[in-house]
Amino acid sequence: MEILVCIKQVPGTSKIEVDPITGVLKRDGVDSKMNPYDLYAIETALRIKEQKGGTIKVISMGPPQAKEIIKEAFMMGADEGALVSDRKFAGADVLATAYTISQGVLKMGKFDLILCGKQTTDGDTAQVGPEMAEYLGIPHIANVLKIIELKEKSVVVEMDMPNTLEIAEIQFPCLLTVEKDIFQPRLPSYRKKVSTKDREIKIISLKDFEDQDEKRYGLTGSPTQVERIFPPSVNNDRETWTGTGAQLSFKMSEKLKQLKFV
Amino acid sequence: MSKLICHQENVNESNIQELMDVCPFDAIENNNGIIEINAGCKMCKICVKKGPKGVMEFIEEKVVEVDKDLWKGIGVYVDHVEGEIHPVTMELIGKAKELAAVVNFPVYCVFIGHNITEKAKELLYYGVDEVFVYDYEELNDFRIEPYTAAFEDFVNKIKPSSLLVGATTIGRSLAPRVSARFRTGLTADCTVLEMKENTDLVQIRPAFGGNIMAQIICPNTRPQMSTVRYKVMNAPEKQCEPSGKITICELDRTKLTSKIDVLKITKKEVEENISDAEVIIAVGRALKSEKDMAMIQELADLLDAQIAGTRPLVESGWINAKKQIGLSGRTVKPKLIITLGISGAVQFAAGMNSSERIFAINKDPNASIFNVAHYGIVGDIYEIVPQLIEDIKNSNAQICAR
Ligand SMILES: Cc1cc2nc3c(=O)[nH]c(=O)nc-3n(C[C@H](O)[C@H](O)[C@H](O)COP(=O)(O)OP(=O)(O)OC[C@H]3O[C@@H](n4cnc5c(N)ncnc54)[C@H](O)[C@@H]3O)c2cc1C
Ligand SMILES: Cc1cc2nc3c(=O)[nH]c(=O)nc-3n(C[C@H](O)[C@H](O)[C@H](O)COP(=O)(O)OP(=O)(O)OC[C@H]3O[C@@H](n4cnc5c(N)ncnc54)[C@H](O)[C@@H]3O)c2cc1C
Ligand code: SF4
């Protein structure tokens, strides 16, 4: 089995604040870490490899510092890793990100299975996986809760649907985005840290891609534009109501209706 | 291609640190006095606006815009499993009608499934202009390739300017696939949508786990796409008479093949965990006897709520220990919490004071729960709750004047 796991580096905390006046993100020394949801994807890959053999590669798109999370994946047991990185990729939205990663994937080889986390803790769109699958021309299943059975040419999974759980069989090659708790992620091992410390991390940049049309990457390749960012408004209204039981209950049911709880 | 450039000649000892500090993404590097922008740059342009004057410049290249006049109407994806329409669909229809009114667009639905033609009629009671139905056996289960193919066909035929999709697990899987196929933008989990005169959709969404809000537009491509969560928008009143029409769409069946087989579907068991609950009814020592829990249960059922309580209630054995809110219980952050006869001791309040909407009923006007409640209701739970149950039940009745 050839498995690829997509991992992203995110800010160390989600307690990012925006200055309400200037609209600037306050960073107060935020460090970075691997997107926690991607740990589940790596763990899923490791479990599959334990059963089926093969290799696990990881890919990340990001700045040079994102090598750190690839090293972390090595410490968990991934075999190879590449970083897709180029100044020209800056400012990418989901569409450009998914296209960029899928170009990188083509450079890394052929895969039976591509695994993504359910979402990230920063951009938080959960869209990169399905968009990559479209660009790679393979089927995908999102929100996978369980791997039920691994077959020769397919995998049977349980997926989360709005009101139901569904068991589905999907043929390789395919892409899955996995839910939190699909498997408990293992901790990075010190032994592996030592043994992989000199392992090469390939850097893939625009000049390595098949499609080198700059218009498809970075800010220019991004149809969405973030116009502004601002802090959420908090509901600090306080009201006190008095009256008879009938008045109060009526007022309350009206309010609940207005707030769409009824 | 738009570019961010650095005027090195204006960089000096005195402003170089300021420049590096202004970038929230650590993307500006000092390489022996030469400024380099690394791949971490998000093109947020903060360095241009807030950095030292004259150093960073952003040169925008005009991108080819689509001809927006060719794209008309607002499409709503009908979210369903086995023909059972998810209520987020009606909410999106409500929003679509508001947006459409600004630019005088029609509102369309696209309904993809099997044996759904009859069910499509239901949508005509909510004021849509046309429902496009793709009804094929291959579309019985949600499988990504045939669903994307049907959606693609709809977009190609109708050319809607905007598409709204419910942010359910189906919508969040399907919408990105469609957006990549049309190489267009998709904004996730929008909480506010507004239509501009030029048909651009202004989309606002939370990111970073709700800690910041982003306003996003998609000015150069069509269709512009958004996903929206359930219970964010308002469903329109159901009309007494249907309006609009249903159009059955034909699709080349070779496009409906899939590499996925759905083997088994089971109804989800609702897992009762108050930490994930969206609506909570919390009860306190005001409850006189265990049999009064029946009244609380009835209210909870009407509001789709979970029941939780204070420590004394757990100690009395009327509710399970897992349902205790507070310092020695669970922390909850629901969209709505209604506390019934709870004094609001700090040990309790600490576990619930970041809830989005707090209603508190207590007969003591000085109870400290009123310091954390958004709506403080001074009264007796035994008078208010039974009446409230009646009021809510009645509010579901439909009024059709003929
Ligand atoms: C406040 C804010 C709001 C935004 N809103 C939108 C929006 O609504 N629409 C939009 O198109 N863009 C948006 N963007 C831009 C978007 O966040 C980035 O393009 C980002 O790269 C997309 O990924 P995500 O973090 O949402 O990933 P998700 O789609 O949530 O990630 C899912 C999985 O994809 C994989 N993955 C994601 N990114 C990478 C990567 N860089 N390398 C390797 N694997 C990866 C991982 O397995 C991850 O678990 C927004 C950005 C900001 C700052
Ligand atoms: C170390 C420590 C940890 C604790 N941890 C927790 C914890 O995790 N969770 C927790 O809940 N508590 C905890 N407690 C207990 C806490 O201090 C309070 O004693 C408890 O929360 C009070 O519960 P209550 O509001 O239900 O009861 P009371 O304080 O007795 O309040 C009952 C309220 O109901 C009102 N009332 C009475 N009848 C009616 C009526 N008919 N209609 C309307 N209102 C009426 C009264 O005015 C009163 O305000 C802890 C205490 C300690 C010391
Ligand atoms: S555009 Fe934003 S991310 Fe890029 S260098 Fe300037 S401040 Fe940093």
Side-chain angles (χ1 to χ4, degrees):
Chain A
M1 276 281 273
E2 293 296 313
I3 307 172
L4 178 73
V5 187
C6 304
I7 59 177
K8 183 184 183 187
Q9 193 179 41
V10 296
T13 161
S14 66
K15 296 240 177 308
I16 298 273
E17 279 181 47
V18 196
D19 187 315
I21 318 255
T22 59
V24 174
L25 285 179
K26 290 191 212 158
R27 51 176 176 163
D28 81 281
V30 278
D31 45 9
S32 309
K33 62 173 182 191
M34 183 173 340
N35 174 33
Y37 293 97
D38 297 345
L39 297 170
Y40 299 97
I42 296 180
E43 184 62 36
T44 306
L46 293 166
R47 301 285 176 110
I48 293 175
K49 182 180 162 180
E50 280 163 13
Q51 260 194 47
K52 285 278 186 175
T55 48
I56 299 174
K57 297 182 185 174
V58 295
I59 187 169
S60 184
M61 167 180 158
Q65 305 90 288
K67 274 190 177 173
E68 288 309 313
I69 61 164
I70 296 179
K71 287 189 187 149
E72 193 182 333
F74 289 163
M75 290 181 229
M76 289 176 72
D79 302 300
E80 281 179 43
L83 179 69
V84 181
S85 188
D86 198 310
R87 246 207 76 187
K88 302 215 165 76
F89 302 155
D93 71 353
V94 171
L95 191 81
T97 301
Y99 190 62
T100 310
I101 303 175
S102 57
Q103 283 286 312
V105 171
L106 297 179
K107 282 281 122 191
M108 288 187 76
K110 285 215 177 317
F111 298 95
D112 302 299
L113 181 62
I114 300 181
L115 295 168
C116 286
K118 166 196 164 120
Q119 64 189 64
T120 62
T121 51
D122 57 349
D124 198 358
T125 65
Q127 292 170 186
V128 169
E131 297 206 17
M132 269 178 68
E134 170 67 17
Y135 279 129
L136 294 167
I138 57 176
H140 79 263
I141 291 182
N143 301 88
V144 170
L145 294 161
K146 279 187 200 141
I147 302 287
I148 292 180
E149 191 188 352
L150 284 159
K151 298 190 177 172
E152 208 45 53
K153 294 199 166 97
S154 64
V155 54
V156 180
V157 301
E158 181 180 83
M159 58 177 171
D160 190 24
M161 295 283 277
N163 304 312
T164 54
L165 296 175
E166 300 195 5
I167 295 183
E169 178 168 354
I170 181 167
Q171 291 170 32
F172 300 133
C174 63
L175 183 147
L176 305 177
T177 79
V178 301
E179 281 281 345
K180 182 168 157 276
D181 297 337
I182 180 166
F183 295 110
Q184 186 56 39
R186 67 196 64 189
L187 294 170
S189 115
Y190 180 72
R191 257 198 17 230
K192 289 214 173 72
K193 178 175 179 170
V194 174
S195 67
T196 62
K197 90 178 175 336
D198 298 321
R199 190 180 286 166
E200 191 206 348
I201 296 175
K202 251 181 284 158
I203 305 280
I204 304 177
S205 56
L206 181 60
K207 62 176 190 335
D208 305 309
F209 282 177
E210 230 159 75
D211 181 354
Q212 302 196 3
D213 180 358
E214 291 190 8
K215 286 199 176 58
R216 299 203 61 182
Y217 303 97
L219 189 70
T220 325
S222 298
T224 65
Q225 295 177 4
V226 177
E227 281 192 312
R228 67 183 175 113
I229 40 187
F230 55 99
S233 60
V234 274
N235 169 22
N236 278 329
D237 305 348
R238 302 241 184 275
E239 324 180 349
T240 309
W241 303 347
T242 49
T244 66
Q247 284 167 340
L248 290 171
S249 62
F250 182 73
K251 203 164 168 185
M252 197 168 162
S253 75
E254 286 301 299
K255 195 74 195 176
L256 290 171
K257 236 183 278 172
Q258 189 198 332
L259 297 171
K260 293 192 287 290
F261 291 108
V262 174
Chain B
M1 181 148 173
S2 308
K3 282 194 196 89
L4 184 69
I5 51 170
C6 176
H7 295 285
Q8 300 282 353
E9 65 279 11
N10 295 338
V11 181
N12 52 49
E13 298 258 312
S14 67
N15 65 13
I16 194 157
Q17 195 56 45
E18 182 195 346
L19 177 63
M20 286 166 56
D21 284 345
V22 79
C23 172
F25 302 101
D26 283 330
I28 305 182
E29 288 176 19
N30 175 1
N31 194 351
N32 292 323
I34 305 290
I35 290 295
E36 280 178 9
I37 310 295
N38 70 29
C41 171
K42 302 252 187 291
M43 289 283 182
C44 69
K45 296 179 242 169
I46 284 170
C47 54
V48 180
K49 288 182 226 156
K50 316 271 178 206
K53 271 218 155 44
V55 176
M56 302 300 294
E57 191 188 354
F58 184 76
I59 300 177
E60 200 152 358
E61 190 194 285
K62 199 80 194 117
V63 243
V64 227
E65 284 197 9
V66 282
D67 185 351
K68 292 177 188 169
D69 291 341
L70 295 178
W71 298 80
K72 290 200 174 72
I74 299 181
V76 171
Y77 174 74
V78 180
D79 197 288
H80 74 103
V81 173
E82 296 182 320
E84 214 175 293
I85 299 174
H86 193 290
V88 70
T89 310
M90 316 314 179
E91 297 176 356
L92 293 185
I93 292 173
K95 190 72 212 178
K97 283 166 65 173
E98 272 173 40
L99 298 171
V102 178
V103 286
N104 208 3
F105 271 166
V107 172
Y108 305 125
C109 281
V110 53
F111 198 175
I112 303 169
H114 184 44
N115 287 334
I116 52 173
T117 309
E118 264 312 296
K119 304 222 165 88
K121 289 184 182 151
E122 172 74 12
L123 297 163
L124 299 180
Y125 288 90
Y126 293 91
V128 301
D129 295 286
E130 197 166 350
V131 181
F132 295 88
V133 175
Y134 291 84
D135 193 335
Y136 287 97
E137 202 183 334
E138 293 90 330
L139 298 168
N140 193 50
D141 300 311
F142 173 70
R143 294 181 303 170
I144 195 68
E145 315 97 309
Y147 268 62
T148 310
F151 209 137
E152 177 188 12
D153 187 77
F154 164 74
V155 173
N156 281 332
K157 266 188 198 136
I158 309 306
K159 297 218 176 321
S161 174
S162 301
L163 290 172
L164 308 184
V165 181
T168 64
T169 44
I170 289 182
R172 296 186 77 162
S173 179
L174 179 61
R177 190 106 198 183
V178 173
S179 85
R181 189 155 297 182
F182 287 92
R183 292 189 188 171
T184 189
L186 170 62
T187 305
D189 285 335
C190 300
T191 51
V192 176
L193 292 172
E194 273 162 30
M195 184 61 82
K196 288 201 209 170
E197 297 281 336
N198 71 353
T199 76
D200 283 354
L201 194 58
V202 178
Q203 309 159 98
I204 296 182
R205 65 168 296 238
F208 286 94
N211 287 302
I212 66 167
M213 306 295 289
Q215 177 170 325
I216 295 174
I217 52 166
C218 179
N220 303 316
T221 55
R222 289 291 184 271
Q224 19 186 12
M225 300 180 62
S226 323
T227 61
V228 180
R229 288 209 186 172
Y230 179 37
K231 293 196 174 165
V232 170
M233 303 301 175
N234 292 323
E237 293 270 330
K238 189 171 175 178
Q239 306 167 3
C240 299
E241 299 296 334
S243 62
K245 64 173 180 180
I246 292 178
T247 302
I248 308 291
C249 302
E250 303 271 330
L251 196 59
D252 177 1
R253 284 185 105 139
T254 58
K255 290 190 178 163
L256 296 180
T257 56
S258 173
K259 299 254 171 64
I260 301 172
D261 262 325
V262 175
L263 308 174
K264 190 172 153 215
I265 301 180
T266 42
K267 271 254 173 282
K268 233 184 250 182
E269 285 172 42
V270 203
E271 211 188 307
E272 294 258 302
N273 177 354
I274 57 169
S275 304
D276 308 327
E278 295 208 334
V279 181
I280 293 177
I281 310 283
V283 259
R285 200 149 60 186
L287 211 68
K288 291 183 191 133
S289 81
E290 188 171 7
K291 72 174 183 359
D292 298 340
M293 286 299 290
M295 157 181 100
I296 309 295
Q297 187 65 54
E298 189 174 6
L299 179 62
D301 288 346
L302 283 171
L303 294 171
D304 237 339
Q306 288 194 33
I307 298 176
T310 58
R311 194 163 79 175
L313 236 75
V314 171
E315 282 166 354
S316 69
W318 298 351
I319 63 171
N320 186 297
K322 284 190 192 144
K323 309 278 172 160
Q324 179 182 322
I325 295 175
L327 271 189
S328 48
R330 307 262 169 130
T331 300
V332 299
K333 202 186 165 202
K335 292 203 163 70
L336 168 69
I337 183 166
I338 302 177
T339 73
L340 302 174
I342 291 176
S343 58
V346 284
Q347 293 90 347
F348 170 80
M352 51 69 78
N353 57 15
S354 52
S355 305
E356 275 176 46
R357 287 252 165 29
I358 304 171
F359 284 71
I361 307 181
N362 194 309
K363 66 182 180 189
D364 172 8
N366 298 318
S368 43
I369 192 71
F370 291 137
N371 298 329
V372 297
H374 303 115
Y375 304 99
I377 300 154
V378 185
D380 190 320
I381 58 167
Y382 285 95
E383 283 174 30
I384 298 175
V385 174
Q387 188 61 42
L388 181 63
I389 290 171
E390 282 311 303
D391 291 348
I392 294 175
K393 278 186 186 158
N394 292 340
S395 71
N396 291 333
Q398 196 190 348
I399 306 162
C400 277
R402 278 166 202 263

